[in-house]
Amino acid sequence: MSLAKWIDFQSLGDERGSLVAVEIGQEKAVPFAIRRVYYIYRTEPGISRGFHAHKALRQVAIPVAGRCRMVLDDGFRQEDVWLDNPTRGLLIDSMMWREMHDFSKDCVLLVLASEHYDEGDYIRDYEQFLAGVR
Ligand code: TYD
């Protein structure tokens, strides 16, 4: 089974252009109450981000512009996916190591989070992450 859980949002594009509606719910929707939104943009060339897992936080990442590559790692295997479709969000569950690479110059990565920011929820040490999932 793939580590990447995609959510296909409702796309309401017409001859004027594109519009995506993101809702909370079960079908084609964010499966948690959103308590925080942040976005990553103007990432400098060659920069990678992430390199952590979360104990409880769940997130959905949507590339509203541009693209980046996400590496997901559940402690047993790794999967590489491109975030390059603004109508598709990637659900990143708790206890999933993530890294982001190869940001395009125009990339704006919108992230919807299930909890407020809490540094105590981060696992930034890979060995500690492995010990937590194995
Ligand atoms: P960081 O966790 O390093 O981002 P990434 O995992 O994408 O590499 O976050 C950068 C800084 O911003 C760090 O000092 C923590 C802070 N921050 C907040 O204050 N609130 C937030 O919601 C996020 C995501 C980060």
Side-chain angles (χ1 to χ4, degrees):
M1 217 175 61
S2 175
L3 299 182
K5 308 246 180 290
W6 297 102
I7 303 170
D8 288 303
F9 296 115
Q10 194 178 356
S11 182
L12 303 165
D14 56 27
E15 62 284 352
R16 295 171 297 171
S18 302
L19 190 159
V20 168
V22 175
E23 295 197 348
I24 298 166
Q26 297 302 316
E27 281 288 310
K28 299 188 170 203
V30 175
F32 52 76
I34 298 164
R35 295 208 169 80
R36 175 165 55 104
V37 173
Y38 63 92
Y39 38 94
I40 296 168
Y41 65 111
R42 287 191 205 149
T43 303
E44 294 291 336
I47 293 293
S48 295
R49 307 191 60 124
F51 303 97
H52 63 256
H54 285 283
K55 295 172 192 167
L57 186 73
R58 305 179 78 199
Q59 301 189 94
V60 172
I62 308 166
V64 293
R67 64 196 58 79
C68 69
R69 183 169 63 86
M70 180 92 68
V71 177
L72 298 174
D73 180 339
D74 68 354
F76 297 89
R77 61 205 171 91
Q78 285 197 350
E79 202 170 310
D80 245 77
V81 292
W82 279 96
L83 277 74
D84 58 5
N85 182 344
T87 72
R88 276 192 121 189
L90 179 67
L91 175 65
I92 309 167
D93 261 311
S94 54
M95 294 309 280
M96 184 75 78
W97 188 265
R98 90 288 315 271
E99 301 173 11
M100 288 160 278
H101 307 279
D102 302 330
F103 286 86
S104 63
K105 209 175 171 195
D106 61 344
C107 183
V108 181
L109 186 65
L110 177 70
V111 185
L112 314 174
S114 64
E115 307 296 337
H116 295 288
Y117 180 73
D118 173 13
E119 185 56 38
D121 188 64
Y122 280 70
I123 302 173
R124 295 190 184 276
D125 180 86
Y126 188 68
E127 296 304 319
Q128 190 189 332
F129 164 70
L130 287 183
V133 289
R134 287 188 172 174

